[in-house]
Amino acid sequence: MQPSRDIARLIEIMAALRDPVSGCPWDLEQDFSTIRNYTIEEAYEVADAIERQDFDDLREELGDLLLQPIFHAQMAKEAGHFDIGDVIYAITEKLIRRHPHVFGDQTADSAAGAQISWESVKAAEKKAKAARQAAKSSSAIDDVPQVLPALTRAEKLTKKAAKVGFDWPDFDSVMAKVREELAEVEEAKAAADQHAVHEEIGDLLFAISNLARHAGVDPEAALRDANAKFTRRFHYVEARCREDGIAAPDAGLERLDAYWNEIRAADKQKAPSEI
């Protein structure tokens, strides 16, 4: 079997890997649960390649990510649930349905207008779905996936709750809540109650995710950017230690902090896009 630019070849390869007689033992052992984490990891690796602007890596990581729905769909086909054609039909039908300003008779002259159109169709779909599930007990937040990163899930939970009116009225109110939660962390720490410290830090992080939503900031993206900035600056600190001929563990906090302040000051002289 040869490589190809045709997605049909990828589907054939996946089917061959899952062949009960001639397939790969590892692939045959997998199920939806065992490859679930790989699906999540591949999405993160795509995001990492984008953040690093490494397009060679991005091409490879997109391929790894593309394999995941092919793998899941192959297992679903074997179990008689659906196949990759059903997956593709579902998403193409959804895209057409949610873009009436492109494929229908509506108009949208801006990205904001397109978003309003999308949300309107999505809301109608959710209403219809709720009607179908009327016999079941459901919540406005039930469809927020458990497997999301905790910070992202916190932001989505508060967004869902806000849609039914359960929300702080403004940014300042959320800021006050953050300060309240921070004070409760301090109180728990002063009481040497480790369980309470754990709980209060969780509440603080949840409040900060809500603050980010009110500020129009994606908290997960903001934290990833902060991680990248810390990583770059720490690499600088380590490089300065090597320049001065001293091992980082032996440099002492005062010297390490001085190196850190050097790169921090240099960053402040740059435009945000250069950092």
Side-chain angles (χ1 to χ4, degrees), residues 75-94:
M75 292 188 294
K77 180 180 179 180
E78 294 164 5
H81 300 311
F82 57 82
D83 63 15
I84 190 63
D86 296 317
V87 174
I88 294 171
Y89 180 89
I91 188 58
T92 54
E93 191 274 337
K94 180 186 288 186

Side-chain angles (χ1 to χ4, degrees), residues 155 158 167-168 174 205-215:
E155 188 266 344
T158 61
D167 195 13
W168 296 101
V174 189
L205 290 170
F206 191 90
I208 288 173
S209 77
N210 203 11
L211 182 73
R213 180 176 61 84
H214 274 262

Side-chain angles (χ1 to χ4, degrees), residues 55-123:
F55 293 101
D56 287 334
D57 268 7
L58 179 58
R59 179 187 61 223
E60 181 177 350
E61 298 302 344
L62 284 171
D64 292 343
L65 181 59
L66 178 60
L67 174 62
Q68 295 303 306
I70 302 294
F71 204 150
H72 283 284
Q74 176 62 34
M75 292 188 294
K77 180 180 179 180
E78 294 164 5
H81 300 311
F82 57 82
D83 63 15
I84 190 63
D86 296 317
V87 174
I88 294 171
Y89 180 89
I91 188 58
T92 54
E93 191 274 337
K94 180 186 288 186
L95 287 171
I96 293 168
R97 186 177 69 250
R98 290 191 178 179
H99 289 83
H101 50 288
V102 176
F103 303 109
D105 55 6
Q106 294 185 18
T107 60
D109 298 327
S110 66
Q115 181 69 20
I116 291 171
S117 177
W118 174 282
E119 292 294 342
S120 175
V121 175
K122 186 176 179 181

Side-chain angles (χ1 to χ4, degrees), residues 45 56 73 117 209 219 235 246 259:
E45 290 179 4
D56 287 334
S117 177
S209 77
H235 286 166
I246 186 169
Y259 294 152

Side-chain angles (χ1 to χ4, degrees), residues 6 22 30 41 54 69 76 99 103 134-135 188 196 207 212-213 224-227:
D6 189 340
S22 59
Q30 306 313 306
E41 288 172 13
D54 188 330
H99 289 83
F103 303 109
R213 180 176 61 84
R224 283 200 305 269
D225 289 344
N227 288 341

Side-chain angles (χ1 to χ4, degrees), residues 168 171-184 203-204 206-208 210-211:
W168 296 101
F171 181 86
D172 289 343
S173 299
V174 189
M175 193 70 236
K177 182 62 176 176
V178 170
R179 295 190 184 99
E180 175 188 321
E181 297 296 352
L182 181 59
E184 290 179 0
D203 290 345
L204 175 61
F206 191 90
I208 288 173
N210 203 11
L211 182 73

